[in-house]
Amino acid sequence: MFGGDSWASSLPGKTDGKTFTNWAMWPNTLNAARLIHHAGEVGGSEMQTKMYDIFFRYIYEEGRNVSDMDVLLEIAQDVGMQGAEPYLRGEEGTKYVQRAAADANRMGITGVPFWTVYREGREDEDPVTLSGASSTKALRKVIEDLSS
């Protein structure tokens, strides 16, 4: 087990109304990432967004183990995904997810979400990047700095 309410209380989302209660573990998210990838293939970004919201709630608010096959199948059912069990029991999508993670690592991306923000009309300048959970205040500051 890893985490707990004391660590989670320092996360930026806490000030934006996220509860972070019952956060109990750091799950292996390979199959979760495969399921999200598959959601994009069969249900598009709308299904992926619903799935992201459920994963966040399960991990950080309910302390659920999203490494567990039954939990993943429950999430798939909640978003209306058909055929999730054979997909997850196979290997499809594994190489894609592993390659995407390796590519992100090579680019210095160490957390999600990862934001790359350019000043409009000045895309030739270096962007501002934010890696991992960022507070609303930090995002506003980036937008204000790039707007001036």
Side-chain angles (χ1 to χ4, degrees):
M1 296 299 209
F2 181 84
D5 292 345
S6 62
W7 179 85
S9 67
S10 68
L11 293 173
K14 191 80 169 173
T15 59
D16 294 328
K18 297 296 182 187
T19 59
F20 295 108
T21 56
N22 300 317
W23 187 71
M25 68 177 45
W26 198 264
N28 179 327
T29 58
L30 174 62
N31 284 328
R34 289 177 57 227
L35 191 63
I36 290 168
H37 172 67
H38 190 53
E41 294 176 328
V42 300
S45 62
E46 184 176 322
M47 183 179 282
Q48 283 180 316
T49 299
K50 288 179 186 176
M51 201 170 273
Y52 285 130
D53 291 343
I54 294 170
F55 276 117
F56 183 92
R57 187 179 78 241
Y58 276 23
I59 294 169
Y60 297 110
E61 296 178 2
E62 297 179 16
R64 305 275 306 268
N65 181 359
V66 299
S67 303
D68 182 84
M69 181 65 72
D70 290 336
V71 173
L72 292 171
L73 294 174
E74 181 182 328
I75 292 169
Q77 182 178 358
D78 286 352
V79 301
M81 180 187 284
Q82 302 294 317
E85 186 166 2
Y87 178 84
L88 287 171
R89 295 208 186 277
E91 293 297 317
E92 188 177 346
T94 300
K95 286 183 182 178
Y96 172 85
V97 168
Q98 290 172 329
R99 186 181 69 238
D103 289 348
N105 194 327
R106 275 192 295 281
M107 290 186 283
I109 299 171
T110 58
V112 292
F114 185 84
W115 303 87
T116 303
V117 186
Y118 293 87
R119 186 184 309 264
E120 188 173 350
R122 294 183 171 167
E123 288 79 9
D124 57 327
E125 293 180 3
D126 288 337
V128 173
T129 60
L130 296 166
S131 184
S134 298
S135 67
T136 303
K137 182 179 178 180
L139 291 170
R140 275 195 193 116
K141 180 166 179 11
V142 167
I143 292 167
E144 289 169 3
D145 288 352
L146 292 176
S147 297
S148 57

